Amino acid sequence: MRRLSQGTILYGYASVVPAKLEVPGQPVWVAPNSLYKRADINAGNIGESRRSIVYVGRLVAEKNVDQLVPAFHRSGLVDEGAVLEIVGFGNAVETIERKILELGLEESVVVHGRIESPIELAEIYARSIMSISPGYVGLSVTQSLGFGVPMLYPEDAPHAPEIELAAVGPMQSYSPTTEESLAAALRDYFLHLVSNPVPAEEVSAKVGDLYSAETMASGISAALRGQVVEFDNEGWPKEMVVR
């Protein structure tokens, strides 16, 4: 299909180099999978104490959400004043709520349910020191880094293309994808970030430049207009090279 076309609009930046090698000489554009307009992508409340660990996504088995509460309990971070905040909906919510009661974590784990408003989500991320994806990484990483919050994720899960954001902002992997490994990684990364806070505004600005709705639209617009977009050797647009 690409060889029959005059160019290709790609889903993400990690596809640029392979696409150029596959069909040499054909122009490519990127319309990165994005959630918010540039104005809604900000770090918020810089300098405020952050003690929450947040999960945002579907509450389903394939996302390994059953590991969230037990791993948080095992990490011992409750003694450090940490709070686990879970945002989402799905058929695993009853399992999660039952485990909270079994472990006596009613004061340290909050299940918010479904929240779609970027304003409400920004408030949760503003008090979060990190986000977590116990299963495969998807679109939520764009949200997390867009709000200036680093993410912890399993190295060996079958991630979606958005995993390319590991080159943009602070993300820490762990292995294997088990409750025990997650608990240890949670504690290590939390304590590391307490002592070494990330440059939240800088991270958020990069995501705003590279993964905003305007950037997604501009990739489609440039393709339809036949405008040339130059990329560096790693697939990033030259005017917004990631460092």
Side-chain angles (χ1 to χ4, degrees):
M1 290 178 66
R2 289 192 60 210
R3 291 186 177 92
L4 292 172
S5 304
Q6 294 177 310
T8 303
I9 300 174
L10 304 173
Y11 185 86
Y13 301 101
S15 301
V16 170
V17 173
K20 284 181 170 292
L21 291 174
E22 186 179 56
V23 186
Q26 186 189 85
V28 298
W29 298 270
V30 176
N33 197 22
S34 305
L35 277 172
Y36 303 131
K37 292 182 178 180
R38 181 65 185 85
D40 293 324
I41 301 174
N42 58 80
N45 295 336
I46 302 301
E48 182 175 305
S49 176
R50 296 173 180 246
R51 308 301 288 186
S52 287
I53 298 168
V54 62
Y55 169 84
V56 179
R58 292 180 297 126
L59 302 181
V60 292
E62 57 264 34
K63 299 283 282 186
N64 293 333
V65 293
D66 60 308
Q67 296 181 7
L68 281 170
V69 176
F72 178 66
H73 180 259
R74 185 189 290 259
S75 73
L77 288 176
V78 172
D79 296 334
E80 302 290 339
V83 175
L84 175 62
E85 302 198 44
I86 301 173
V87 179
F89 67 99
N91 54 23
V93 66
E94 291 184 3
T95 300
I96 291 172
E97 291 177 337
R98 183 169 59 250
K99 185 59 68 173
I100 292 172
L101 293 174
E102 288 178 3
L103 297 174
L105 294 173
E106 296 92 331
E107 300 298 319
S108 301
V109 180
V110 180
V111 180
H112 291 281
R114 183 172 186 168
I115 299 177
E116 295 183 345
S117 165
I119 296 175
E120 293 181 47
L121 286 168
E123 292 177 357
I124 295 174
Y125 277 104
R127 58 179 178 261
S128 297
I129 193 170
M130 60 188 284
S131 68
I132 178 173
S133 181
Y136 66 88
V137 170
L139 189 57
S140 63
V141 68
T142 306
Q143 182 183 81
S144 181
L145 294 183
F147 288 126
V149 177
M151 174 176 276
L152 179 69
Y153 69 99
E155 183 177 334
D156 50 359
H159 301 300
E162 288 84 4
I163 191 63
E164 70 180 22
L165 273 87
V168 176
M171 295 176 64
Q172 177 64 49
S173 65
Y174 66 93
S175 182
T177 309
T178 63
E179 178 186 314
E180 294 79 7
S181 182
L182 173 56
L186 269 173
R187 183 172 183 82
D188 289 347
Y189 201 35
F190 182 93
L191 296 177
H192 170 77
L193 291 171
V194 168
S195 302
N196 303 275
V198 303
E201 289 181 316
E202 180 181 329
V203 173
S204 178
K206 286 181 180 179
V207 175
D209 288 340
L210 292 165
Y211 297 91
S212 67
E214 290 89 341
T215 302
M216 180 169 61
S218 69
I220 298 173
S221 176
L224 295 174
R225 296 171 184 274
Q227 297 172 339
V228 175
V229 176
E230 295 187 357
F231 300 90
D232 69 4
N233 293 333
E234 296 181 350
W236 301 103
K238 286 190 174 180
E239 66 272 21
M240 293 185 291
V241 176
V242 175
R243 298 298 184 195

